[in-house]
Amino acid sequence: MDINLAGKVQTVLGPVDSDSLGVTLYHEHLLTSLAAWYEEPVEASEKGLARQPVSTENLWWVRNHRPNNLDNAQLADEQTAIDEAMQFKLNGGSTIAEVSSIGLARDPLGLKHIAQATGLNIIMGSGYYIGASHPPELEKLTEDQIAERIIRDITVGVGDTGVKAGIIGEIGCSRPLQEGEKVVLRASAIAQRKTGAPLMIHPAFDDKITLNIVDILRDAGANLNHTVICHVNVYAFTTETLRMIADNGCYLGFESFGNLGYPHLLQGRLLEHRCDLDYLDTIASLIEEGYLEKILIAHDICFKDFLTIYGGNGYAHILRNTLPVMRIRGFSEEQVQALMVENPERYIQFAQPDV
Ligand SMILES: [Zn+2]
């Protein structure tokens, strides 16, 4: 590849030095659609709730059926995104990785506008989300052809927008893992090798499948030390699985900080929305075992009810509310700095590509 971005971070406004990122959220969505998760309800009253705009009257239902309220599953307004992201900036934040890939209604020009309006570094994703959202033409493409598409997003930009991706992900996986998803995983590994870009995986709700995903990536030549397995806290993986993921070199992505949802079933598996304290306890014990440099944290805001305008905690929640709790729970300033600045900086910068 003729473009070598090693040591740089590629934002939607162009490359920046990795040491200029500051406080970083490694996994968020500003403009997105989670329509891929929608399941048509059977009962008439639920069909009605699925189609209502989000309001204080239906928030009790929406919070427990998040992707099944069509309005809740869309973050579609640039000005709302700007206002919400500014809260992160005003509380000391400076960089957001916006990892809406193809299938999540990625919006290159929208992200560019948000970056220009807020002054935040915004990094855009590339590659493909879960199989249910794959565009039909993907089936006919080989691994190498899919890899070429991802590489083009990084080196040329998306379509004719000129806006370039800075991360490969989030790459979606389901339970069971679909054949098309395996092809995309291998294509993503090829694109990672050829560009040096960071790779981000939305795993399956299953310990075994997730460890299998790590094997598929390794066999396809991915740089596991430059790869994050996300959602490890809400998928309720065992501690042993977490150790195995990290011992393979991958980062462990903890999101959903400030999430006001309750545990509920998704694809037949309990999605554990616990609370920040549970997440922090798991992180503290992993740090004790020596995994500090493998941990990344964020909110993964992807539904309207996460936004402050809809009564959620928003993009500034970790800075406003979680950091004070971390200090009371005994996290040192060095550990906070690692989680908020150093780890995301190391992860999001490009590595040397294979030539
Ligand atoms: Zn996400």
Side-chain angles (χ1 to χ4, degrees):
M1 212 184 62
D2 46 348
I3 299 168
N4 186 342
L5 288 161
K8 301 267 185 202
V9 170
Q10 182 148 272
T11 79
V12 292
L13 300 181
V16 298
D17 291 329
S18 60
D19 59 7
S20 67
L21 291 193
V23 171
T24 300
L25 294 172
Y26 96 97
H27 185 143
E28 304 293 345
H29 304 271
L30 292 160
L31 295 171
T32 199
S33 166
L34 267 84
W37 290 96
Y38 183 77
E39 287 172 25
E40 183 64 32
V42 178
E43 295 87 4
S45 57
E46 301 254 317
K47 282 179 188 287
L49 284 161
R51 285 168 175 75
Q52 288 175 7
V54 181
S55 70
T56 47
E57 282 76 37
N58 59 28
L59 208 46
W60 63 274
W61 187 88
V62 166
R63 280 217 168 105
N64 292 292
H65 301 81
R66 279 191 168 124
N68 254 24
N69 177 279
L70 291 166
D71 184 41
N72 196 45
Q74 320 284 331
L75 301 180
D77 184 62
E78 271 181 27
Q79 191 55 50
T80 304
I82 290 165
D83 295 343
E84 295 280 334
M86 274 310 280
Q87 297 179 32
F88 171 63
K89 185 170 187 193
L90 293 172
N91 282 276
S94 36
T95 301
I96 296 178
E98 209 287 7
V99 293
S100 300
S101 47
I102 298 165
L104 284 169
R106 179 177 65 167
D107 190 337
L109 292 176
L111 296 185
K112 190 175 169 184
H113 299 155
I114 296 168
Q116 286 166 333
T118 59
L120 288 164
N121 297 311
I122 309 274
I123 298 135
M124 180 174 71
S126 62
Y128 297 85
Y129 193 53
I130 56 171
S133 72
H134 285 179
E137 75 266 16
L138 207 62
E139 253 177 68
K140 297 180 209 100
L141 301 179
T142 64
E143 280 161 35
D144 286 325
Q145 287 170 324
I146 296 170
E148 280 311 314
R149 290 187 171 206
I150 298 171
I151 292 168
R152 187 187 185 279
D153 282 355
I154 294 168
T155 55
V156 179
V158 176
D160 58 3
T161 63
V163 183
K164 296 174 186 171
I167 199 161
I168 301 170
E170 53 184 303
I171 302 302
C173 299
S174 305
R175 185 173 75 124
L177 196 57
Q178 299 175 10
E179 282 311 308
E181 292 171 340
K182 290 181 194 170
V183 175
V184 169
L185 284 169
R186 290 192 288 265
S188 302
I190 294 167
Q192 185 198 33
R193 241 176 26 227
K194 291 195 174 169
T195 58
L199 175 58
M200 177 178 292
I201 306 297
H202 164 109
F205 295 93
D206 189 289
D207 294 63
K208 240 180 155 171
I209 297 175
T210 297
L211 292 171
N212 183 24
I213 290 167
V214 173
D215 290 339
I216 291 170
L217 291 172
R218 187 197 307 96
D219 293 347
N223 178 356
L224 293 180
N225 288 301
H226 203 197
T227 299
V228 57
I229 304 294
C230 301
H231 315 321
V232 297
N233 45 335
V234 289
Y235 284 10
F237 292 148
T238 66
T239 316
E240 188 48 32
T241 300
L242 299 187
R243 287 193 199 102
M244 286 169 81
I245 294 169
D247 289 342
N248 272 289
C250 300
Y251 288 85
L252 299 167
F254 288 77
E255 309 93 19
S256 299
F257 279 88
N259 187 323
L260 297 168
Y262 293 95
H264 62 276
L265 287 176
L266 191 61
Q267 290 191 338
R269 169 139 178 163
L270 186 64
L271 196 58
E272 289 205 2
H273 284 128
R274 295 172 292 161
C275 72
D276 292 12
L277 277 182
D278 295 317
Y279 306 154
L280 292 178
D281 285 347
T282 308
I283 291 172
S285 60
L286 285 166
I287 290 175
E288 220 161 276
E289 292 183 45
Y291 292 108
L292 171 62
E293 63 178 39
K294 288 293 172 192
I295 299 169
L296 295 168
I297 68 173
H299 310 95
D300 191 14
I301 288 176
C302 51
F303 294 113
K304 280 200 173 79
D305 75 282
F306 287 46
L307 302 176
T308 62
I309 196 176
Y310 293 94
N313 281 315
Y315 301 96
H317 170 75
I318 290 176
L319 294 177
R320 280 185 183 127
N321 306 318
T322 312
L323 293 195
V325 174
M326 288 169 77
R327 290 179 175 121
I328 289 169
R329 294 292 270 224
F331 282 77
S332 68
E333 288 312 309
E334 291 72 32
Q335 289 165 349
V336 169
Q337 182 75 6
L339 294 170
M340 299 310 299
V341 179
E342 291 160 11
N343 291 359
E345 174 188 317
R346 191 180 338 104
Y347 168 68
I348 294 176
Q349 65 180 280
F350 277 64
Q352 281 295 341
D354 280 4
V355 275

